[in-house]
Each structure stands twice: as C-alpha cells, then as structure tokens.
Amino acid sequence: MYPKAYLDYLYHFHCDRDYFECHEVLEEYWKEKDAAERDIHWVGLIQVAVGLYHHRRGNFNGALRMLQNACRIIEKESTAIDALGLDSRKLVNLLEERMDSVLKQEPYYSLNLPIADPELQLSCEVKAKKAKLTWGTASNMLDGSLVNRHTLRDRSEVITERQRQLKLRKRREAGE
C-alpha cells in the first residue's frame, strides 16, 4: 500500500533516528520520476528529517530554514500527506512547536510523526521489533556517526557534479 522507501523512511525516523538516511531513501525514491512529474510532498518529508538533523547538530539556522520549508509544503500538500497515513494538521502543529524551540535555541529532542493509520503504525512497529529496535526511541546523542553523518560520507560524486555544473554555467554566461 505504501512505497517501500517511505516505510524505510519511517523506520529510520523512529527507530535509529538516522535522519540522514531518511533523506537519502526518500530523495532516491523522489528522483525516480522525471523532474516534471515529481511529487513535492516527498520534499516536505525529506525536509522534516533534514531540519531535525540540523537541530540535533545545533545548526539552528539550517534547522529553522528546513522546518519552515517543510511546514509550507505539508500545509499545501495536506491531502497527499494524509494519504500517506499521517495526520497533516498534527504534523504542522508539531513542526510549529519545533520551530519555536529552534528559534529559542533549545536543545534537540526526538519527535515522532503523527501516524493516523493504525495498520501503518502496526506494520512499522513489527518491522522495528524484527530488527530488535524500539519504535519511537530517542536519538543517541553520544553516537557521533549518527549526529555527524554527513561529514563521514564520500562526497566525491557530489563535488564532481557541482564542478561540472559550474563549468556549464560559466560557458553559458560566456556565450559558448
């Protein structure tokens, strides 16, 4: 009923709190469609995870920016969010509360998405139990590989692509 990538997102969001992996699995799924056909509600969920990742690292500006963007998308795409078994109104409220916390530069605390579909909730809890993890567990703030995950990945492909795009832009600007 729900895409596997979304179920993986929920698992990482609530079990190991690996927000970086949440971003990775949903972005990969989102990019499977051509750019003109991509559903923006996935971006909202990706940005929720990225916002929490930034908050956990103490990057309040990055957290606020991502959470604001996520909130706008989720409000606009509430029907699609609700169809994913979430309560979009409760999610917006949670994000607004988190934005207030970020503005006050309060410490990070884990957040659970408001799952409205009891079958989805149950299947997620079963998946967690099979992996011997606890659904809804708090982030392990002492796990540096979790908190600073982006610094540990191989970024060579990203850097190469950025350099390629920069060269293309410069050529266009030069009229080549």
Side-chain angles (χ1 to χ4, degrees), residues 133-151:
L133 293 174
T134 304
W135 180 264
T137 192
S139 286
N140 180 356
M141 299 297 286
L142 301 176
D143 183 351
S145 66
L146 181 67
V147 175
N148 299 303
R149 177 104 184 267
H150 77 286
T151 63

Side-chain angles (χ1 to χ4, degrees), residues 1 11 34 41 51 69 84 88 100 109 123 133 140:
M1 181 170 169
Y11 170 82
D34 291 330
H41 62 273
N69 289 341
L84 289 172
S88 62
D100 287 341
Y109 53 92
S123 69
L133 293 174
N140 180 356

Side-chain angles (χ1 to χ4, degrees), residues 59-73:
N59 176 357
F60 297 106
N61 290 333
L64 184 61
R65 190 170 46 254
M66 284 294 108
L67 295 172
Q68 287 171 332
N69 289 341
C71 198
R72 277 192 291 273
I73 291 170

Side-chain angles (χ1 to χ4, degrees), residues 23-125:
H23 164 270
E24 293 290 298
V25 297
L26 265 193
E27 184 177 60
E28 187 175 311
Y29 175 75
W30 176 68
K31 286 184 173 181
E32 287 177 4
K33 289 187 178 181
D34 291 330
E37 298 174 5
R38 292 180 184 160
D39 297 314
I40 194 71
H41 62 273
W42 297 119
V43 175
L45 293 175
I46 291 167
Q47 290 180 337
V48 169
V50 173
L52 293 176
Y53 181 83
H54 284 308
H55 187 198
R56 185 169 57 196
R57 296 189 74 249
N59 176 357
F60 297 106
N61 290 333
L64 184 61
R65 190 170 46 254
M66 284 294 108
L67 295 172
Q68 287 171 332
N69 289 341
C71 198
R72 277 192 291 273
I73 291 170
I74 289 165
E75 284 180 314
K76 184 179 173 208
E77 299 292 322
S78 62
T79 303
I81 296 296
D82 291 339
L84 289 172
L86 298 177
D87 183 323
S88 62
R89 186 70 241 149
K90 285 183 182 176
L91 181 52
V92 166
N93 290 339
L94 286 170
L95 294 175
E96 288 172 345
E97 289 171 12
R98 181 56 59 107
M99 286 185 283
D100 287 341
S101 178
V102 168
L103 280 169
K104 295 173 187 170
Q105 298 195 353
E106 294 175 348
Y108 163 86
Y109 53 92
S110 298
L111 177 141
N112 292 326
L113 298 174
I115 297 176
D117 178 354
E119 289 182 33
L120 175 60
Q121 180 73 42
L122 181 61
S123 69
C124 289
E125 290 173 2

Side-chain angles (χ1 to χ4, degrees), residues 1-14:
M1 181 170 169
Y2 299 106
K4 181 185 180 316
Y6 175 59
L7 296 174
D8 291 345
Y9 170 92
L10 293 173
Y11 170 82
H12 290 295
F13 196 100
H14 295 95

Side-chain angles (χ1 to χ4, degrees), residues 166-176:
L166 181 61
K167 286 179 185 176
L168 286 173
R169 192 168 38 249
K170 286 182 178 180
R171 284 184 190 149
R172 282 193 300 267
E173 290 170 359
E176 292 180 25

